[in-house]
Amino acid sequence: MAQQIYKGNLLSSLSYDELKIIENGYIVVKDGIISDVYEKLPAEYNNEKITDYGDRLIIPAFSDLHMHAPQFAQRGIGMDRLLMDWLNDYTFPQEANFKDLAYASKIYARLIREFLRHGSFHLSLFTTIHYEACDLLFKMLEDSGLYAYTGLVNMDMNSPDYYVDDTNVSLEKTERFIVEHQYSQRVRPILTPRFAPTCSAKLMKGLGELALKYDLGVQTHLVESKAEAAWAKELYPDCASDGEIYEKYGLLQGSGPKIFAHVIFPTPTEERILKQYDGYAVHCPDATSNIIAGIMPLSKLHDNGINITIGSDVGGGHFLAIYRQIARAAQISKMKEFYEEDYSKIELKNAFYMATAASEKIFPHSGKLEKGYRFDALVIENMLDKEYERPIADALERFCYIGDDRNIFARFIDGRLIDPDAVYEMICKK
Ligand code: GUN
Ligand code: FE
């Protein structure tokens, strides 16, 4: 691959509050890694070929830290339900279809193409309870070039009889999945108990043992609704709250990432656990408005030092594009501020950070356009009108609010130019 030099308007987060902008800047990429970023190209590169993207933006690719791969099939459907009705009426019956590998293969190939189209290259994905379909998704992800964590979903109670596992079967399948994939690099296994209400204490204990044995992380849903949080407490009277279940049963013992979706009604216990275990609270703005009807106390969690990232939560969320979730995060934070006195809204640059650089510990060397980071990046075009001169940051804001995949002119993973349709053809043929 050797060396490439790209010129364009560079936007990348330095921190939650700081967006670094270099107008007409240069990125030098060597073997997929950014070797330097310049405002002015040093003379040593004078005779090198430069790919000039003109007034287009170059930004880091997005991370989607909470998404249900099988629910891609049902996105935008059943959106008039709330959580438990949505699960029972739409989601469980649909996810049950993934016992059919031909169905799974079609949906998963399309999903991967869509991630590539929208520039979400670092992922944490739920699957279903079906070993073969989970294994298939894992292999497709590896072939696609995406970076991901994914796990077989555990549920052994409070689930319909057509979509539930015996406790030991669930644990055996999970261990088999881990053993099969434990040495993979780009795609990694992660424990995936659906949420406390569908997981027995015996199952949680078994998963805790696997966390220790294979040094794994965990992803789940945490205090996502008042009803769910209350139900979890009722089912686990030995635990002070939802979060403590994962701690007490040993699921936080591994060194892998601890990823908690929603965290809408955190008690001091959830906050302690998130901090103590360097966990991630994943804000999913669309899902929050569609099936959950509560908004994460984002600014408060951030002020308390908790890592916050963004997830599409498709199919609870209806649209896969993370740039739209960035806009939605800013939008709904204003509503929360309006209705709740002690809450302050966030800005677009805060949400952009959460969707990019905030997950760099989970996906090392990604999320920023800085020396030593992988060139996992997007080139964005046509977001400003020539007649109406605006600062570069406005082009990013407009992309998040009204852009779509047609405005993504080029996509890079590891410095390699990606064609979503070609990747789709490749994984379909395998
Ligand atoms: N809680 C349990 N299962 C689910 C799910 O599939 N989606 C969401 N958003 N919440 C859940
Ligand atoms: Fe979810």
Side-chain angles (χ1 to χ4, degrees):
M1 223 190 310
Q3 174 181 287
Q4 289 122 351
I5 304 173
Y6 300 102
K7 180 168 185 271
N9 292 314
L10 317 180
L11 292 94
S12 166
S13 291
L14 288 177
S15 67
Y16 183 79
D17 290 310
E18 285 169 285
L19 182 65
K20 179 173 159 188
I21 301 175
I22 305 180
E23 287 188 42
N24 301 310
Y26 298 83
I27 299 183
V28 181
V29 179
K30 289 189 179 137
D31 295 323
I33 307 288
I34 298 174
S35 67
D36 245 313
V37 177
Y38 300 104
E39 287 183 27
K40 274 210 160 103
L41 199 64
E44 61 185 280
Y45 295 108
N46 275 353
N47 297 323
E48 304 288 337
K49 177 177 164 277
I50 296 171
T51 304
D52 188 349
Y53 284 124
D55 62 1
R56 296 181 178 97
L57 313 180
I58 305 179
I59 62 173
F62 299 111
S63 295
D64 186 343
L65 278 227
H66 180 66
M67 192 276 166
H68 299 258
Q71 294 173 20
F72 184 63
Q74 65 184 82
R75 66 202 184 285
I77 293 173
M79 301 279 84
D80 56 356
R81 297 285 201 282
L82 281 174
L83 183 62
M84 289 318 297
D85 291 336
W86 172 80
L87 284 173
N88 287 314
D89 297 348
Y90 289 90
T91 306
F92 292 154
Q94 199 282 120
E95 286 193 7
N97 292 339
F98 282 74
K99 66 177 177 299
D100 174 355
L101 214 53
Y103 180 91
S105 144
K106 285 197 185 109
I107 303 299
Y108 286 160
R110 284 181 217 147
L111 169 67
I112 286 170
R113 179 176 58 187
E114 204 71 357
F115 276 131
L116 293 169
R117 281 180 176 159
H118 290 296
S120 298
F121 297 162
H122 316 118
L123 312 167
S124 193
L125 306 178
F126 279 53
T127 58
T128 61
I129 67 171
H130 312 100
Y131 182 88
E132 284 74 20
C134 296
D135 190 51
L136 176 74
L137 176 67
F138 200 102
K139 288 176 178 150
M140 282 181 162
L141 286 165
E142 284 203 314
D143 291 339
S144 74
L146 290 162
Y147 284 86
Y149 279 85
T150 188
L152 184 137
V153 170
N154 303 105
M155 41 203 281
D156 70 341
M157 65 177 193
N158 295 321
S159 309
D161 51 11
Y162 61 83
Y163 190 50
V164 66
D165 267 331
D166 166 78
T167 311
N168 289 333
V169 170
S170 185
L171 288 169
E172 279 157 25
K173 283 196 284 194
T174 304
E175 185 158 15
R176 186 174 154 214
F177 182 75
I178 295 160
V179 169
E180 176 72 18
H181 298 296
Q182 63 181 325
Y183 301 116
S184 308
Q185 293 299 318
R186 187 180 271 283
V187 186
R188 306 275 308 134
I190 187 166
L191 296 171
T192 310
R194 180 165 214 125
F195 64 158
T198 59
C199 299
S200 69
K202 184 179 166 199
L203 179 59
M204 288 291 197
K205 185 165 170 287
L207 293 175
E209 284 159 11
L210 294 177
L212 187 63
K213 186 169 172 190
Y214 297 100
D215 198 25
L216 295 171
V218 60
Q219 60 176 349
T220 193
H221 298 92
L222 192 68
V223 286
E224 59 179 319
S225 74
K226 283 191 172 159
E228 182 269 317
W231 195 12
K233 245 177 102 168
E234 195 184 304
L235 292 165
Y236 285 86
D238 54 325
C239 297
S241 75
D242 202 357
E244 202 174 282
I245 300 167
Y246 300 93
E247 183 182 45
K248 263 205 170 157
Y249 287 81
L251 282 92
L252 309 180
Q253 301 177 86
S255 67
K258 287 99 190 163
I259 302 172
F260 297 103
H262 304 303
V263 196
I264 292 170
F265 301 102
T267 67
T269 306
E270 272 78 35
E271 291 205 31
R272 173 187 65 75
I273 286 171
L274 279 159
K275 268 172 98 156
Q276 189 173 328
Y277 296 91
D278 203 19
Y280 288 76
V282 190
H283 184 37
C284 307
D286 272 347
T288 264
S289 334
N290 290 335
I291 59 159
I292 292 174
I295 303 176
M296 175 197 269
L298 202 160
S299 61
K300 181 169 161 273
L301 293 180
H302 171 74
D303 291 347
N304 291 346
I306 289 165
N307 304 312
I308 300 167
T309 58
I310 298 266
S312 67
D313 196 20
V314 162
H318 51 277
F319 189 43
L320 202 66
I322 286 295
Y323 44 88
R324 195 71 86 251
Q325 294 307 298
I326 294 174
R328 292 261 197 272
Q331 287 178 298
I332 65 175
S333 80
K334 284 176 276 186
M335 289 199 213
K336 196 165 175 71
E337 185 184 62
F338 181 81
Y339 286 110
E340 292 177 32
E341 265 172 20
D342 60 348
Y343 184 82
S344 43
K345 67 180 170 60
I346 62 160
E347 294 178 20
L348 190 104
K349 68 180 177 194
N350 308 135
F352 182 69
Y353 168 79
M354 295 189 295
T356 54
S359 53
E360 75 169 293
K361 276 190 275 172
I362 301 179
F363 298 103
H365 315 294
S366 75
K368 288 181 181 166
L369 301 178
E370 294 287 336
K371 186 175 173 159
Y373 284 70
R374 288 198 311 270
F375 192 56
D376 292 358
L378 308 173
V379 180
I380 309 296
E381 68 174 2
N382 295 333
M383 292 323 308
L384 290 181
D385 302 309
K386 293 220 161 38
E387 299 72 20
Y388 178 50
E389 265 189 36
R390 298 296 307 160
I392 297 299
D394 287 11
L396 177 65
E397 181 178 20
R398 181 175 274 176
F399 174 62
C400 292
Y401 275 85
I402 66 163
D404 61 39
D405 54 311
R406 292 169 301 179
N407 301 109
I408 306 181
F409 179 76
R411 301 152 176 85
F412 294 90
I413 304 181
D414 296 313
R416 244 179 276 244
L417 194 62
I418 300 293
D419 173 353
D421 292 319
V423 173
Y424 174 76
E425 295 295 330
M426 184 263 292
I427 57 180
C428 284
K429 272 199 198 113
K430 279 213 168 186

